[in-house]
Amino acid sequence: MTRLVLTVLAAVTLAGCGQGEAGEREDAAATPGPPPPTEAAKMALLAALPAPYNQADLENGRRVFARCRSCHTITEGGPNMTGPNLYGVFGRQAGSQTEYNYSTAVKEAGFAWDGERLDHWLENPRTFLRGTKMSFPGIPDATDRRDVIAYLKVETGHMPAAR
């Protein structure tokens, strides 16, 4: 597993140096910030995630996340909207992003976000954490929740721990 994590890191590093797949990111000079990881790097990161997320369908996760895009961004340095930017959310203390005005319930939640907590949150935010101001009704399908969590892990800078 350590070799897989190192492979992911190498792929992301090479992608950042412009040494990724041929023909990708020709517009990188016009785009500020580092280029996004290549598809190969994303698939390697997906494979390095713990079960059940390593079996997720990233394309379905992207489609499911479309329900969230009206309130959340996921890019590094992206703006907060009705909801906070989710880049770097995994491992972050709930309610701790200083640029966002969270409900008291989230500020006082007392936990860091991980896949399991996010799964329960996405199932029904209002029953998971009573008093949240998030009005989203939830994602009832467990497979959709698994896929969107894996998608977020891959797209928001999450690096799986070496096993």
Side-chain angles (χ1 to χ4, degrees), residues 43-56:
M43 295 312 292
L45 183 54
L46 176 67
L49 294 176
Y53 307 111
N54 60 351
Q55 299 299 312

Side-chain angles (χ1 to χ4, degrees), residues 57 60-65 67 119 122 139-151:
D57 176 346
N60 185 52
R62 184 189 63 76
R63 284 190 303 268
V64 173
F65 187 73
R67 302 178 205 171
D119 181 58
L122 290 174
I139 301 170
D141 184 79
T143 300
D144 284 348
R145 290 193 311 273
R146 177 204 65 187
D147 292 352
V148 78
I149 291 167
Y151 173 77

Side-chain angles (χ1 to χ4, degrees), residues 73-77 85-93 96-97 112-113 152-153 155-159:
T73 59
I74 60 173
T75 57
E76 185 173 12
N85 175 282
L86 299 177
Y87 190 87
V89 68
F90 294 99
R92 184 167 65 206
Q93 192 71 16
S96 68
Q97 190 175 357
W113 288 108
L152 287 171
K153 284 178 178 271
E155 296 291 332
T156 63
H158 174 75
M159 291 306 289

Side-chain angles (χ1 to χ4, degrees), residues 1-6 8-9 44-51 53 90-91 153 157-163:
M1 180 47 73
T2 301
R3 177 175 278 173
L4 183 57
V5 171
L6 291 175
V8 169
L9 289 173
L45 183 54
L46 176 67
L49 294 176
Y53 307 111
F90 294 99
K153 284 178 178 271
H158 174 75
M159 291 306 289
R163 293 187 253 168

